[in-house]
Amino acid sequence: MALGVPMGDKSGWNPVRICREHVLNELESTMNYSAFFETELKRLQDGGNYRVFAELERRMGQFPKATRYKPNGSTCEVKVWCSNDYLGMGQHPDVIAAMQAAIASCGSGAGGTRNISGTNHQHVELERELADLHGKEAALIFTSGYVSNWASLGTLASKLPNCAVFSDALNHASMIEGIRHSKAERFIFRHNDPKHLDELLSQVDPDRPKLVAFESVYSMDGDIGPIAELCDVAEKHNALTYLDEVHAVGMYGPRGGGIAEREGLMHRIDVIEGTLGKAFGVMGGYITGSAQLIDFVRSFASGFIFTTAIPPAIAAGAVASIRHLKQSSVERDRQKVMVAELRKRLDRAGIPHMANDSHIVPVMVGDAAKCKWMSDWLLDNEGIYVQPINYPTVPKGTERLRFTPTPLHTTADIEHLVSALNKLWSQCALARAVA
């Protein structure tokens, strides 16, 4: 006899099925999932925080030009002003050639996780290059910068017994998520405030394991962390230091090792984390540190162990990019010139932008809906693509257009951009006067 069906009953009566349908009906009556999703998305749209993707096709050898695919199916040319390919290395002939050669010799994918058939020669070469770049004994590559932060911080903070984590208030979401995932006790110190960090560390048992996590270049405001002062405090309290250099690697220092290299501080940092997806022009993330620490993360981080390795061609392209930027400062020097030129012209035009010492130029708008409208207007009317940066990426009231000039932008590009922004600001001023 089947469970729940009386012998000889041919009616199809089944209490298990009927019970399940009853539960589903009850759920539907108490929670309308579709309505919930629709309401929440409408809330984002009404607040100007709904993200709309611009469909682009990068043009080989013509960066920052790209082809835009419009919703109606037509195309047009745009200039990209918000790319994280900060130096245009995603278009560099050496990088392209290295990737093509790797595909020709290895094929496409890595073939598995690093532990199960996925460690290719290109991965080993890349980790050697990264360790050398940051003056460390070893390196470990991940599928993205987000994963490298999440997995490394999560592993270190959870495995160190009774670890206390001290995190800068403006750390990236990937760092926050890694720390949160570890379930370690965490303390948030005021942004770039070594004195507050010292006060918080002083409250913790001196013998307790401690980890201090911070960034070098903060991507939304473009400000730079006081690395030396933070190291002073961490060393005073015997705390490990973890530095996120994702917006600085390739960009600063004589060999592109980041702000810590530029300031001669790499030896004072226990873990330097970076990305391959910004100035190096490909994709992936990594950490560098002592051989023991890297081996420890390699052995315990689930975000590393249970994921397929990046393709050998990506690793080969990263190696070529890193090697080039270790010996060439042409791209960095030209990029600095373009950043200074844009800032100078914005000042002349009276367009408000946030002052900082980095390559990131945030033009402040202060309203989500207006920021989205400005971005759309620039794209539709001037062929200028810059993404609006709204909450939750930045606090409400600090919405902005975030520009990242590259060495491949020209003075004419800057003139066009500032002229277009001038038109926008004039329209906004007129609208305020009429109101």
Side-chain angles (χ1 to χ4, degrees):
M1 180 177 70
L3 180 63
V5 181
M7 186 175 293
D9 187 350
K10 306 297 184 182
S11 67
W13 179 84
N14 186 331
V16 175
R17 175 179 58 78
I18 292 172
C19 181
R20 180 175 180 274
E21 289 176 354
H22 174 73
V23 170
L24 289 175
N25 289 335
E26 285 295 310
L27 280 173
E28 189 171 345
S29 67
T30 58
M31 178 64 189
N32 187 324
Y33 296 105
S34 295
F36 172 77
F37 298 146
E38 184 178 351
T39 300
E40 290 301 298
L41 290 171
K42 183 68 163 52
R43 183 176 59 81
L44 283 178
Q45 292 165 351
D46 291 345
N49 295 316
Y50 182 74
R51 290 174 169 86
V52 177
F53 294 156
E55 185 179 351
L56 306 176
E57 185 174 89
R58 282 157 62 93
R59 296 180 179 178
M60 174 63 182
Q62 298 183 52
F63 182 76
K65 291 180 182 178
T67 298
R68 177 196 175 197
Y69 287 78
K70 297 182 179 180
N72 64 9
S74 64
T75 63
C76 64
E77 179 180 291
V78 297
K79 289 283 181 71
V80 179
W81 273 100
C82 55
S83 175
N84 283 340
D85 188 0
Y86 292 139
L87 299 177
M89 291 301 293
Q91 305 280 311
H92 196 281
D94 290 355
V95 176
I96 303 301
M99 294 181 72
Q100 290 172 335
I103 288 175
S105 63
C106 303
S108 58
T113 65
R114 289 291 299 276
N115 189 49
I116 304 177
S117 83
T119 296
N120 288 258
H121 175 63
Q122 289 82 359
H123 298 123
V124 177
E125 274 195 318
L126 175 54
E127 287 171 342
R128 287 172 181 160
E129 286 292 334
L130 290 166
D132 173 76
L133 176 66
H134 294 292
K136 300 297 183 185
E137 293 177 342
L140 191 67
I141 52 177
F142 295 81
T143 50
S144 72
Y146 191 105
V147 173
S148 58
N149 268 334
W150 176 83
S152 301
L153 282 167
T155 300
L156 290 169
S158 65
K159 292 295 184 181
L160 288 168
N162 196 28
C163 182
V165 183
F166 299 80
S167 177
D168 187 284
L170 293 188
N171 274 344
H172 189 264
S174 58
M175 303 174 78
I176 295 169
E177 286 300 319
I179 295 166
R180 183 179 295 151
H181 176 73
S182 75
K183 295 183 171 58
E185 185 178 13
R186 59 186 183 272
F187 301 82
I188 311 302
F189 63 92
R190 289 187 293 269
H191 179 52
N192 284 346
D193 190 339
K195 183 178 179 181
H196 189 220
L197 172 63
D198 189 32
E199 291 170 2
L200 293 175
L201 279 162
S202 299
Q203 299 171 15
V204 175
D205 185 339
D207 295 328
R208 187 176 175 185
K210 295 170 284 292
L211 176 62
V212 179
F214 52 99
E215 300 184 36
S216 58
V217 177
Y218 287 83
S219 62
M220 290 300 114
D221 290 352
D223 56 332
I224 295 175
I227 299 174
E229 292 84 351
L230 293 171
C231 286
D232 289 342
V233 175
E235 289 164 4
K236 171 184 172 183
H237 295 276
N238 191 32
L240 289 174
T241 47
Y242 184 106
L243 174 63
D244 177 318
E245 288 255 42
V246 296
H247 293 276
V249 291
M251 302 293 294
Y252 301 92
R255 300 197 310 157
I259 299 295
E261 184 196 25
R262 185 187 74 178
E263 298 180 3
L265 297 169
M266 292 193 298
H267 65 287
R268 298 183 66 185
I269 307 294
D270 294 296
V271 183
I272 296 178
E273 184 267 350
T275 184
L276 306 170
K278 294 182 170 61
F280 292 130
V282 286
M283 68 168 290
Y286 65 89
I287 60 169
T288 63
S290 70
Q292 281 184 320
L293 187 148
I294 297 301
D295 196 21
F296 181 87
V297 174
R298 181 190 71 86
S299 299
F300 289 103
S302 62
F304 173 82
I305 296 169
F306 297 107
T307 193
T308 300
I310 63 173
I314 297 293
V319 168
S321 184
I322 294 164
R323 285 176 178 170
H324 176 83
L325 290 174
K326 280 179 177 178
Q327 54 82 33
S328 172
S329 62
V330 172
E331 293 81 6
R332 288 188 285 273
D333 292 343
R334 170 71 178 168
Q335 198 261 357
K336 290 181 177 68
V337 169
M338 290 297 100
V339 171
E341 183 67 17
L342 176 57
R343 289 189 181 280
K344 180 176 70 175
R345 290 176 182 266
L346 289 173
D347 286 336
R348 284 180 186 169
I351 295 171
H353 61 98
M354 187 177 290
N356 60 53
D357 294 323
S358 76
H359 57 286
I360 295 166
V361 184
V363 169
M364 306 308 292
V365 178
D367 178 88
K370 186 182 293 183
C371 198
K372 175 69 167 62
W373 174 79
M374 286 181 165
S375 172
D376 291 343
W377 188 92
L378 288 168
L379 186 60
D380 293 336
N381 295 280
E382 298 288 345
I384 291 170
Y385 174 50
V386 58
Q387 190 70 14
I389 307 296
N390 294 339
Y391 178 84
T393 306
V394 295
K396 291 178 180 179
T398 69
E399 293 83 3
R400 66 201 63 183
L401 301 172
R402 176 183 177 273
F403 295 94
T404 53
T406 75
L408 300 177
H409 284 94
T410 66
T411 302
D413 292 335
I414 292 176
E415 289 175 354
H416 177 217
L417 171 62
V418 175
S419 173
L421 289 172
N422 245 333
K423 293 177 189 176
L424 273 177
W425 252 257
S426 298
Q427 289 186 44
C428 291
L430 179 61
R432 285 195 298 271
V434 171

